[in-house]
Every structure is written in C-alpha cells, then in structure tokens.
Amino acid sequence: MKVGNRTLTLSAAAVLGAALAAPHALSAQLIDGVVERGSRNMEVLGHIPLGPRLSIADMDIEQEMHRPYAYVARMQYGPVGPKGLDIVSIEDPENPEVLYEWRIEDQDLHQRTGGMDVKHFKWGDRYYVVQSLQFGQGGPDSDMGAVVLDVTGLPDASTVREVARIKEPDLPGGFHNIFIYKHSNMNVYLVATVSGPYAAVYDLGALVDGRGDQMVAQIPVPDQGMEGNRRRGYHDFYLGYHPETGTDRFYGGGTGGYYIYDVSDLQDPQLLTQIVGVSGIRSGHTFTPTPDGNFAIAETEYQYAPLRIFDLRPGLNGEVSAINRPIAAWTANWKNLVHNHEVRWPLVFVSGYLDGLVVFNMMDPENPMTVGHYDTYLGPPNVDRTPVFNGTFGVDIRNADGLIVVSDMTTGLWTFRMEGFQGWNGDDWGVPNISSAQDWDNGPAGAAGRITTDQQQGD
C-alpha cells in the first residue's frame, strides 16, 4: 500500500495535471515574518466567524447559482454553543452574511450535541433544508432526528418556516449523519444514521406534502458475526447513480467496515460487495466513490489514520468475496486525522481538522498527490477532548463555478477559489457527471446524461 502526502501546485493552463512545482509544507509557516497559511494556488475569498469554540459542525451549499446559500449546523460543546442551524448568504463570496438562525426551543433543557449534519433538497418548485439533531435522554426530544425548514423564500428570512420534525421513539439519540438522494424513481429520500443496525430511509416528498413521515425502508449493516453487538450500525454514507448498470447504489461506512448495496428497489437492497477485515479498520466512517463507481475513498475516525483508497472492481465483479486491502492511502499530516471529503474527479476536497482544507489529485488512484491547502485553524490541539478534533469540519463544492466552502469548528465559515479549478462536470473528464450534488429536476439519470425519451416528455 502506498501512502501519499506529496504536494503539487496547479497552473490554470495545465489544470490539475502532473507535477509542476516542488513540494512545500502543508502546515502554516512563518516566512519572513508573515504567516503562510496555505498554498499559493488557494485564494481565500471570505470568512465569517459564527460563534464560540467547537460550536460549528457540518455544512452544505445549494448548487444553483441563483440560490447562493450555505447551511451550517450548530452544536453545543460542553456548556457552550447553540443547538440549531445558521443560513448564510454567499451571494458575495467575499462577504458571507448570516441571514437566519434556527434554534431549538428551550436550549438549556435539551441535552447533548444538537445540530450535526445538514442537507438541502428541492421538491416540486419549493426548496427545503434538513438539519439533523441529536439530543440525549434526561431532556426533551431525545427521539427527534431532524427538523425540516422551507427555505424557498430566501433571501427573505421572514419566509423561512418549519414544516416537519422527524421523530423515532424506538430509536432515541437522533440522527448523527444524513444524506439526501434523488432516486432514479424520481422520489427524494433522506437516509439517516440511527441507533440501530441499519440506515433509516424517509420519503421527503411524502413528508412535505403531508402524506406521511414514517420510515419507508432500511438498509442493513451485514452482521459479520456481530448480531449481539448492540452498537452495530452505520456512521456515514453516500448514495449515487451508477450509469453503467442503471442502478442506484448505497455506500455505507459502519461497524466492521464498508458496504455497497444496490438500492434501486429500496424495499429489497442487495449487497454487492463489502470491505471488511482491513488492517486498522474496526468501523468505517465517511465513504465516497468516484463518479464511475470503480474506486472509493474511505475514512476511519482515529488519530493517525489516513484516507484509504480502495479498488472496488474485484468485489463488484465477483472476483473476491470481500475486499480487504487498499491500493493506496493519503494523509495531510500523519500526526493528525483527515475527515470529511467531496470527490470531484480527479480531485478530492478534504476537511482535515487541524490541517484545514486540503485537496489531492487521484488521477492515478495508486499515487494520490496533494495539490492545494489552506489552514483555517491556527489554534492549539484540544486538551479537553481528543486533540485532533478541532479545525475544518465540513466541505462542499459548487459545481457551476468551482466555489469551495468549508466550515471550521472554531473559526466559522470560509469561501475559497483554487487556481485552475473553475467548476466541475464529469463529462469534461470522461467520467459520469455524478457527485454529491443532486439534479433535483431530472434525477440522477439526468445528471449522468441518460434521460430517457419518456422522462424528457414527462411521462
């Protein structure tokens, strides 16, 4: 297994290509009396502090240029921090502005974290945001997993309204992570981490139309001989369309490793392959495939762990019963931990906790190479919790123009541009136009350029 942490720079002329300059350090440095916090190809556009230390969690941005909004989850750490959601205008990326704050009522009575993950969606001609929530027993709403807000009227904050709360009385503890997916059946589904041995699926169209808010499907964690493990479950996941086979696929990280299902029929998910028995991995975390579904980037949440890159084809093609060895790994700094990531082939945009925003190129999946970085947090490691858990938490990319937005657990929301990266469409790279960004109007087949004649005619 090769471990990559070499650094390249980009030029606009040779966008994201081979090595063009000598490596330079990823951490902030004092050079000629000036703190150099990032690579020269990374431009900071804007920054807005949002609140106390460790009160900022994941984030999400809308993809349509006429809706320049970022959604930032807000959490409490210890006695400090709000529990809820901030809506930030990035219409002027150099001057982000908070438009609206949603907070759970009776803040002091609600226990534990509060807001963690956040995603938006469109249904019909209206736009919504889903904020995942986690409240502990001993206070109200320990069974509440998410709140849904109608944000169609933005930037007029007075039009934002709460339309639903999703609760699971039999699964207390809330939703740690969520993903929203426009399925090839043209329904929009919320997939959520719950305190059970599966990912829970909800029909968001039915919910906002008032047709029901019940769980409609479950995607199981294979037992791997762990039936007696009460903590068995998923931590994080991604759903994406696979144009080659015309199927919807689920990529989940959880107890034992990582699992890939065909979820074209959500009532009958079919396990396609699994990544288990990997040295150093007892439980999977963030798990994201490349647009063609051939490779995947996998995180596991402990200090010193790199992102591992797996070739999925031997498992998907039936050559092996399970994949148990990565083909490569990448990290920003081996002493720390890299976290969430977004794939825009051949680039992977990483929120690296203490290492900030870091970008690597995996054009050659066996030789990932760093191409840009910026440190959003210059403070010391934590002394009152796991040291590496501070700094950059969430990252998202606007495909239309290449705007990069990250949330930092302590310093707030940041906007960036990277030299040579002016937007992303898979067609430009000879891969399916598939990413975490959803085509709300045409569905995943439309995003991949495979709309059928019937779909085009609206049948």
Side-chain angles (χ1 to χ4, degrees), residues 230-244:
R230 296 178 60 189
R231 297 180 62 84
R232 180 174 135 233
Y234 283 108
H235 185 279
D236 208 348
F237 27 70
Y238 171 100
L239 287 87
Y241 188 67
H242 189 248
E244 186 176 342

Side-chain angles (χ1 to χ4, degrees), residues 333-417:
N333 181 338
W334 69 270
K335 297 179 181 179
N336 295 325
L337 168 66
V338 282
H339 187 215
N340 291 324
H341 48 271
E342 286 283 332
V343 177
R344 300 295 190 269
W345 176 268
L347 297 179
V348 181
F349 296 81
V350 180
S351 57
Y353 282 133
L354 295 179
D355 295 307
L357 166 68
V358 193
V359 187
F360 71 88
N361 186 331
M362 60 172 294
M363 179 69 79
D364 177 358
E366 295 187 2
N367 292 280
M369 307 183 83
T370 304
V371 295
H373 68 96
Y374 188 89
D375 191 351
T376 60
Y377 173 73
L378 297 181
N382 288 309
V383 295
D384 51 353
R385 65 178 296 182
T386 306
V388 295
F389 291 145
N390 208 329
T392 306
F393 192 103
V395 59
D396 204 0
I397 313 301
R398 190 164 64 190
N399 289 352
D401 64 345
L403 182 69
I404 306 164
V405 186
V406 305
S407 58
D408 185 289
M409 296 173 73
T410 293
T411 62
L413 189 79
W414 298 72
T415 55
F416 296 91
R417 290 206 185 278

